[in-house]
Amino acid sequence: MIRRSILAVALSLQTIAALAQTTTQPPASTPPTAAPAAPAAKSDITLAKFQKRREKAIMAADTDGDGKISLLEWVAFQAKRNVKGDPAKSFARIDSNHDGFIDRAELDAFFAKRFAKLDRNGDGVLSADELPGHKTAPKQEQ
C-alpha cells in the first residue's frame, strides 16, 4: 500500500514537473520578444502583372484553343461565370477591331484602360485600396 502511494506521488510529481516545463513563463527580467510580424500585405500590382492575371482568366473562354475568343465562346464563358448583363455588349467593348474575335492584343489594350482607371494616384502600381473588391475601389464593369 505504501509502495503504491509512493509510486502515485512520484508519477504525479513527474507529471507536474513535465507540465511546468512546457508552460513556464520567462522570468520578468528578460525583455519581451518582439511580436511576430503581421503577414505581408498583398504586393502591389503592376500593369504587366494585372494584364497577365486577367488575360489568363479570360483566355479560359478560348475552348477551341485557337488563341482567340469568339462571341459564342464568350457567351458560354459568361453564362458559366453567372455574369449579369448582356455578354454581346461586353464582347463588343473588348473586340476593338470588330473582327468578331477577342485576341490577346485586344485584351492587353482593354486591361491597360481598366488599370489606368483603377490606378487613382497614377503611380503605375495598384495598391490594396485601389484593387477591385476593396470597399473604396471603383466597381468593376464586368
Side-chain angles (χ1 to χ4, degrees), residues 110-127:
F110 178 78
F111 290 128
K113 288 179 191 175
R114 167 77 52 87
F115 184 91
K117 285 181 184 178
L118 293 173
D119 185 19
R120 292 182 303 219
N121 62 5
D123 65 352
V125 176
L126 294 182
S127 57

Side-chain angles (χ1 to χ4, degrees), residues 64-131:
D64 63 6
D66 64 353
K68 52 189 178 181
I69 302 167
S70 69
L71 179 58
L72 290 176
E73 290 173 320
W74 183 253
V75 169
F77 180 68
Q78 295 294 69
K80 183 178 177 182
R81 293 174 54 201
N82 295 322
V83 174
K84 295 179 183 175
D86 184 6
K89 284 185 180 181
S90 62
F91 183 87
R93 202 171 51 240
I94 300 170
D95 182 21
S96 59
N97 65 4
H98 308 292
D99 67 350
F101 296 97
I102 298 172
D103 59 27
R104 292 182 190 277
E106 290 170 317
L107 284 175
D108 285 345
F110 178 78
F111 290 128
K113 288 179 191 175
R114 167 77 52 87
F115 184 91
K117 285 181 184 178
L118 293 173
D119 185 19
R120 292 182 303 219
N121 62 5
D123 65 352
V125 176
L126 294 182
S127 57
D129 64 331
E130 293 172 319
L131 291 174

Side-chain angles (χ1 to χ4, degrees), residues 13-28:
L13 289 174
Q14 285 181 335
T15 303
I16 292 170
L19 288 174
Q21 288 178 353
T22 60
T23 59
T24 302
Q25 297 294 325

